[in-house]
Amino acid sequence: MSLTVKPPEGMTVAIVITVYNQAHFLADAIMSALRQTVAAAEIIIIDDGSADDPAAVAAHFPSVRLVRQANAGLSAARNAGLRLVTSTIVIFLDADDRLTPLAVQAAREGLAENPAALMTYGGYRVIGPDGSPASEIWCEALGADPYRTLVTRGNLIGMHATVAYRSAPLREIGGFDEELRACEDLDVYLRLSSMAAPQRHGRFVAEYRHHSDNMSRDKRFMMASVRRVYEKQAMAHPEMRSAAEAGISTIARKYAPEIGMQAALRMLRTGLNGHDTGLVLQSIRGVPFAVGALALRRMAIRIIRRLPAPVQRLVGVRPALGKVNFGDFHGTEPIGGNFGYDRGLPIDRHYIEQFLGSNADAIKGRVLEIGDNEYTLKFGRDQVTKSDILHYTAVNPKATFVGDLADPNLLPAGAFDCIIITQTLQFLFDLATTFRNIHNALAPGGVFLCTVPGITSVDPWEWPDSWYWSFTDSAMRRLLKADFHPDEISIQNYGNVFASVAFLEGLALDEVPLAKLAPYDPRFPMIIGTRSRRRPSA
């Protein structure tokens, strides 16, 4: 979402960092809070009775304030920080996580743009214990009814540090429920979103560190906590009881495979017992057959990998040398031609529409799309005030612009709130000039949404002499950085080995299980989606 409203001068932001026995991560969190494009008015650390020494770390940062309390849990620690905050906005950061430099700025601009919103949120990515990136950036939209979405589909916001709250309303609803030992963030989202729709600014603002001590690794505990939150909502809003029950079922299906796997691993260590056997059986019954079968296979593989090496070789998780069954993939010609169009909807279109759907908030105002305006109308809907089409020849009578994107005189400067280009850049040789022209054609705050092919076949019929490129996320980021500020670029990759092989064989979307398209494997990038925003003028 483009952020163009200047925040009022009195709109200040506090960052509350909670720490419990994670002093070894604390310096990283503090430095991320200090390295903001717009400085936080307050940085407050709440030490929730740690056995290590957060105070020794905080002493190296004289501008931060540390308060120590007896251990009372995460909700109580956050409430302690909330009571101390004097700023109008507050962000909560766990000591093992980090903020990006845009977090404070995006919080202020997001809430300034939507004065009715009580909270705003953006995107995050997972990082490893050492701080290295371990995922793409995620930022789910909550749709037209955010409260119902959160009830029926779970915590799509994902990471708590992406959220910025108006401090006063958060205090008025009582802050965080101190009886909840987990999912207290979801509980607050639900209470606030039942009062006013959250505002999604969509910018990359936080990093979620995965390590062995994450509370979310205990799936039984997390599932019980989510169930308790939804039961609270059903009691507070009886008309939402059926939606809350649907949400509980959704979460049960999500967590059941991991719960069953953890129970199976315990039985491997300690022997058979009725309790864990029951959990394994419940995990099988709790998910659809296809998902359950996949989960059981993963469970078996993870169990086998914990066995001694000779046993692993005996079981053979992968086919032995020379025992691979190629089946229908044995030929040297693909099963389908023309990317799968001859058999139905191509697999890459599933990813393209997934990307555009997750960025539909940007498809608004005056929108330019290449070739036709199908995606503009499908995802922009009533947000679009004018729809333009660019075609490279006059063959399309609906085209409002005809010519080459590398022509600097083709598009008017600063005219478009959004430009959508899907699966087109591989045909343009002069990409540097093309990106410069796209940037110049965007209005300040305008967004460029683009998808390009990674792993792909090449069209030998319609484009035999002008298919120049396949891409990686690194290539796209480097190309875009020449014109767009790095902080305004986010990239979402899609694909895995199954999806890539099926796409290269020309299979259609209806022929493959959607569950096998969902995992992303960075070794097999099939579609690269990029969202780039032209910064508002000063």
Side-chain angles (χ1 to χ4, degrees):
M1 177 175 289
S2 62
L3 302 177
T4 57
V5 178
K6 183 179 179 181
E9 292 300 323
M11 184 176 276
T12 56
V13 179
I15 299 173
V16 173
I17 303 174
T18 53
V19 59
Y20 175 66
N21 290 343
Q22 291 183 332
H24 52 295
F25 290 131
L26 182 58
D28 219 7
I30 296 172
M31 286 189 289
S32 77
L34 290 169
R35 293 171 179 166
Q36 295 293 308
T37 56
V38 174
E42 307 167 87
I43 300 175
I44 300 169
I45 302 169
I46 304 296
D47 174 12
D48 188 35
S50 299
D52 52 12
D53 193 2
V57 178
H60 294 284
F61 303 93
S63 62
V64 307
R65 176 184 180 186
L66 183 136
V67 176
R68 180 175 172 82
Q69 66 178 28
N71 179 246
L74 185 55
S75 291
R78 287 177 179 159
N79 286 339
L82 180 61
R83 286 192 291 270
L84 297 172
V85 163
T86 61
S87 300
T88 58
I89 300 169
V90 59
I91 297 170
F92 294 94
L93 177 66
D94 293 341
D96 51 347
D97 298 329
R98 299 190 302 212
L99 298 175
T100 73
L102 278 176
V104 169
Q105 179 183 344
R108 296 176 77 239
E109 292 178 355
L111 289 172
E113 185 178 67
N114 189 345
L118 304 180
M119 54 182 277
T120 186
Y121 71 98
Y124 71 99
R125 70 179 173 192
V126 174
I127 58 176
D130 62 350
S132 58
S135 79
E136 292 305 305
I137 297 167
W138 293 319
C139 188
E140 292 260 17
L142 297 179
D145 189 345
Y147 176 72
R148 178 172 288 275
T149 299
L150 288 168
V151 170
T152 56
R153 296 183 57 196
N155 185 2
L156 297 188
I157 292 174
M159 182 189 177
H160 193 217
T162 68
V163 177
Y165 302 96
R166 294 192 194 274
S167 306
L170 183 57
R171 290 193 192 95
E172 288 169 10
I173 66 167
F176 298 90
D177 186 344
E178 296 185 13
E179 293 185 1
L180 292 171
R181 307 300 290 183
C183 300
E184 71 294 325
D185 50 354
L186 174 60
D187 177 64
V188 165
Y189 304 159
L190 287 165
R191 285 188 280 147
L192 289 177
S193 63
S194 69
M195 300 163 62
Q199 195 264 7
R200 173 182 180 264
H201 60 69
R203 301 166 84 177
F204 169 40
V205 293
E207 293 179 312
Y208 177 34
R209 194 187 306 263
H210 274 195
H211 55 85
S212 59
D213 294 329
N214 286 131
M215 184 188 300
S216 59
R217 288 181 176 271
D218 187 341
K219 302 304 179 185
R220 285 185 65 201
F221 175 60
M222 295 301 295
M223 189 168 80
S225 300
V226 173
R227 181 185 294 274
R228 188 173 179 187
V229 168
Y230 282 167
E231 287 172 348
K232 279 185 60 179
Q233 289 304 307
M235 292 178 64
H237 303 278
E239 73 280 6
M240 295 298 293
R241 178 168 294 280
S242 60
E245 290 172 352
I248 291 171
S249 296
T250 298
I251 297 301
R253 287 194 297 271
K254 174 184 175 182
Y255 285 139
E258 282 290 324
I259 292 172
M261 186 195 67
Q262 290 171 355
L265 290 172
R266 282 196 299 271
M267 286 194 293
L268 185 65
R269 292 192 300 268
T270 63
L272 289 172
N273 64 80
H275 178 68
D276 284 332
T277 302
L279 289 175
V280 172
L281 293 175
Q282 287 174 23
S283 74
I284 296 171
R285 288 196 300 267
V287 296
F289 176 78
V291 179
L294 181 62
L296 285 174
R297 180 177 179 274
R298 289 176 177 163
M299 184 190 306
I301 290 172
R302 289 185 66 174
I303 291 172
I304 289 166
R305 285 177 178 162
R306 297 200 178 200
L307 296 173
V311 178
Q312 291 188 44
R313 288 194 294 270
L314 179 63
V315 175
V317 174
R318 292 194 175 100
L321 185 64
K323 299 294 184 180
V324 175
N325 181 2
F326 290 96
D328 290 330
F329 292 167
H330 198 64
T332 58
E333 285 295 316
I335 294 169
N338 196 21
F339 304 97
Y341 276 112
D342 56 326
R343 300 171 70 87
L345 185 69
I347 291 170
D348 65 341
R349 294 289 135 180
H350 170 70
Y351 291 137
I352 293 165
E353 295 197 5
Q354 188 175 335
F355 168 74
L356 292 174
S358 67
N359 290 280
D361 62 290
I363 305 175
K364 63 182 181 181
R366 187 179 182 184
V367 181
L368 174 69
E369 186 174 345
I370 308 303
D372 58 40
N373 62 351
E374 176 186 354
Y375 289 143
T376 300
L377 301 179
K378 180 173 182 178
F379 295 103
R381 298 184 180 178
D382 57 0
Q383 298 182 117
V384 177
T385 58
K386 184 176 182 181
S387 172
D388 286 292
I389 298 172
L390 172 99
H391 204 279
Y392 75 105
T393 68
V395 67
N396 185 347
K398 295 183 178 180
T400 51
F401 296 93
V402 176
D404 187 342
L405 269 170
D407 179 358
N409 300 313
L410 175 64
L411 298 176
F416 303 102
D417 300 294
C418 181
I419 296 177
I420 302 172
I421 300 181
T422 58
Q423 308 306 96
T424 301
L425 295 184
Q426 66 269 30
F427 307 125
L428 303 175
F429 191 81
D430 189 355
L431 292 175
T433 301
T434 297
F435 283 155
R436 188 177 312 118
N437 294 341
I438 290 169
H439 182 270
N440 291 341
L442 285 170
V447 175
F448 172 35
L449 298 178
C450 176
T451 69
V452 292
I455 296 173
T456 182
S457 55
V458 174
D459 187 346
W461 298 286
E462 188 175 359
W463 312 96
D465 301 319
S466 57
W467 189 305
Y468 299 114
W469 314 109
S470 288
F471 297 84
T472 63
D473 59 353
S474 299
M476 285 299 291
R477 192 178 297 277
R478 184 165 179 175
L479 285 163
L480 289 163
K481 280 169 61 176
D483 300 287
F484 294 88
H485 192 279
D487 291 339
E488 303 291 355
I489 300 168
S490 62
I491 297 182
Q492 295 170 258
N493 289 344
Y494 304 88
N496 54 56
V497 66
F498 172 83
S500 299
V501 170
F503 181 55
L504 293 175
E505 285 285 352
L507 300 186
L509 184 62
D510 289 341
E511 298 181 274
V512 300
L514 291 181
K516 296 188 75 168
L517 301 182
Y520 170 62
D521 187 333
R523 297 173 296 176
F524 303 97
M526 203 178 102
I527 292 293
I528 294 94
T530 66
R531 173 175 173 146
S532 311
R533 174 176 172 269
R534 179 173 181 174
R535 288 199 152 184
S537 54

